[in-house]
Amino acid sequence: MTLPLEVKQINKRFKDGETYIDVLKTIDFKIKKGEFVAIVGPSGSGKSTLLSIIGALLSTDEGNVLINGKSVKNLDESQRSEVRLNDIGFIFQTAELLPYLHAEDQLDLVAKLNNMDKKERKERAKALLTDVGLEKRRKHYPHQLSGGEKQRVAVARAFMNDPALILADEPTASLDEDRSHEIVSLIKQEVKAKDKAAIMVTHDESLLTYCDRVFRMKDHHLIEDK
Amino acid sequence: MFHLAIKDMRFSKVKYGLIALILFLIASLVLIVSGLARGLSDDNISMLAESEATEFYVSTDSENQLDQSGFLIEDLVNDVPTEEGWQPLITHPVRFVHEGKADEKLAATMIPVDRDAKLYPGVTGGEDLTNDASLNIIVDQTMKADGVSLQDTLYDEATDLTFTVVGFTEGQTYRHTPVVYVSETVFYAEEISPNQVANTVVIFEGNDTLKASIDSILEEGEWVDKSAVIDAVPGHSSEQMSLNMMIFFLIVISVFVLAAFFYIITIQKLKQFGILKAIGAKNRFLIGSTLMQVVILSVFSLGISVLFTYSMTFILPEGMPFHFNLGTISMYSGLMFLVSILGALLSSRRIVKVDPQQAMGGAE
Ligand SMILES: Nc1ncnc2c1ncn2[C@@H]1O[C@H](COP(=O)(O)OP(=O)(O)OP(=O)(O)O)[C@@H](O)[C@H]1O
Ligand SMILES: [Mg+2]
């Protein structure tokens, strides 16, 4: 059985003037379907960098990432966007919705980019918005939604193209405590219901209870809590 | 792509409305000035432009100006019959008193013709010219704006003759005056200008033997083509040059204005483009929807400014030399369309350069 995600011996350095600074060293792990994984660690430890590499937004210096068994290493920019579109669902710190589209159209857009047919798009968008509790807000524009509601739309959007892997970088950073727990339990609910793999970066230790496994960034290495 | 473009524009109505307005204003200015250039040009030279004559024999020292050129054609008429393919052209300035109507005189250019000659354009309304000695004239329809109608009489003080308007023709103006066609018979019988004098001799197709024989009889002249004669009509080149210069600068200005506007809009949306790229949209899609917006905007604005310019033909006073010419209008609208596409393309480089990774790691 192919795993949704395999990370193999990743190293990443950034150039800082004349010298290089190591950010990631020999990162190596696998995630199975239905697993909800958390990554925690101090600020500047490389969590977003790791998520960008996994999300085919940034290249590695050494090592490899396999998404659904396919290597993203030697893909060109256009092929990487295909991978991001088909195989990965992103949830960002803030919802990052397009101001001029209502909730349903936000979902419709990513499915359209993926050439899904109209009937299927409509059905999926409706079902997902119902899952995240926004069936009554389907035609609302971002400026008509609260911060938590916007992030729910973003969660629904991430699942729209039925990706194997969900990547969430501090999805609760802009929300209060109650809202944070709602969003994370929502992500968990969808990951379990749809049998997806998910990685969430967070600073909030209280959210780790929703996760199946917890990794910590420490001195450029990723270490799993036992 | 189309729907996304439309939804964005509907959401930011004011922003896009403003660009549409500016595009509309600049395009209307370009189209109106071009209509004016065309109208002025027609007013000055349409008689020549519409003429079937291809080459003109003009006096050597006339600088190709018909009014400065003149020949005695008595020998030519006797030696080479006009059937061989030439005709004399006389442009005789007259000032008519419009009897029973306005006090001010009507300036016109009288041209004597044989009704079967190629130089005569025929009538578009009323009766045709006859070759007999009746004092009938065919006048260009621009005279209607001066209140002239069929059967009106026009009195020429210089010759003490009263002519009757029997028909109208169109596209026949010369040096900002309407052309008035009168039969050769009348013109010579009444000795309106000294007998057998012509400003120029024209031919209708290149014929070297004919040209040579005319040259040997008339002497003191040279053959020039129609465009040389048109360019030499007083005022024509300078009018056209200054108006075309205006149009040129308007277009240059619009390139910068539109490019700046599209650039600002693109810059404002760079973050959005980054997010869209991160979740899988390609450059082609993002540039495509941006261009789509520009196409929609331009088609809309240019369409309205074409209509607006067309309505100018009804709003402007009749005597105003303004000509809505479909060829010119389409050319300049096409040019404006290209200008806005170009302006938009300039900012598409910024779209390509957006790094989708900026989406990760949070909002700055
Ligand atoms: N493009 C870049 N060029 C140079 N250095 C970079 C670049 N991107 C990130 N870094 C550096 O890499 C390190 C890790 O950054 P990263 O954003 O991954 O941290 P993080 O763990 O997500 O931090 P936070 O919790 O504050 O979001 C930081 O020291 C940062 O300055
Ligand atoms: Mg980060």
Side-chain angles (χ1 to χ4, degrees), chain A residues 98-168:
Chain A
L98 292 174
Y100 51 86
L101 296 182
H102 59 60
E104 200 173 274
D105 276 348
Q106 305 279 350
L107 275 58
D108 192 70
L109 172 65
V110 289
K112 226 193 235 170
L113 288 174
N114 210 2
N115 300 319
M116 200 185 287
D117 73 61
K118 189 165 180 176
K119 193 162 158 276
E120 195 182 349
R121 291 198 318 253
K122 282 260 172 285
E123 282 167 7
R124 282 191 66 83
K126 216 170 153 179
L128 277 165
L129 287 172
T130 307
D131 283 353
V132 300
L134 291 177
E135 63 271 45
K136 297 250 162 58
R137 303 258 196 285
R138 290 205 312 265
K139 304 287 175 189
H140 281 49
Y141 287 85
H143 67 91
Q144 297 167 321
L145 297 170
S146 73
E149 285 169 338
K150 278 189 274 202
Q151 199 59 304
R152 283 162 188 258
V153 177
V155 170
R157 179 176 68 179
F159 285 89
M160 186 64 188
N161 281 335
D162 207 23
L165 180 65
I166 300 289
L167 299 178

Side-chain angles (χ1 to χ4, degrees), chain B residues 97-167:
Chain B
V97 175
H98 190 188
E99 298 198 307
K101 295 282 172 61
D103 292 335
E104 79 235 50
K105 292 188 177 153
L106 302 177
T109 299
M110 185 174 268
I111 297 180
V113 282
D114 179 303
R115 65 167 284 179
D116 301 314
K118 276 191 168 164
L119 276 178
Y120 177 60
V123 290
T124 53
E127 290 167 35
D128 208 344
L129 204 60
T130 46
N131 279 340
D132 58 29
S134 50
L135 290 173
N136 290 342
I137 49 175
I138 305 297
V139 306
D140 184 74
Q141 51 87 26
T142 51
M143 273 202 151
K144 287 179 183 169
D146 298 315
V148 174
S149 38
L150 292 177
Q151 300 309 320
D152 280 8
T153 51
L154 299 175
Y155 171 71
D156 176 25
E157 240 171 9
T159 54
D160 193 26
L161 292 172
T162 302
F163 297 90
T164 308
V165 176
V166 296

Side-chain angles (χ1 to χ4, degrees), chain A residues 52 82 84 96 105 169, chain B residues 7 271 277-278 282 357 361:
Chain A
S52 298
E82 286 293 335
R84 296 198 294 268
E96 308 291 8
D105 276 348
D169 190 5
Chain B
K7 279 169 187 160
K271 178 131 190 280
K277 277 191 186 185
K282 295 192 178 136
Q357 203 236 323

Side-chain angles (χ1 to χ4, degrees), chain A residues 13-16 21-24 41-52 58 93 169-170 201 203 217, chain B residues 355 357 360-362:
Chain A
R13 293 174 290 276
F14 283 117
K15 202 171 176 182
D16 179 28
I21 37 172
D22 289 311
V23 178
L24 301 175
S43 184
S45 57
K47 304 179 299 294
S48 295
T49 305
L50 176 58
L51 228 51
S52 298
L58 196 65
Q93 277 191 11
D169 190 5
E170 301 187 45
V201 167
H203 278 124
M217 283 300 305
Chain B
D355 182 1
Q357 203 236 323
M360 194 65 85

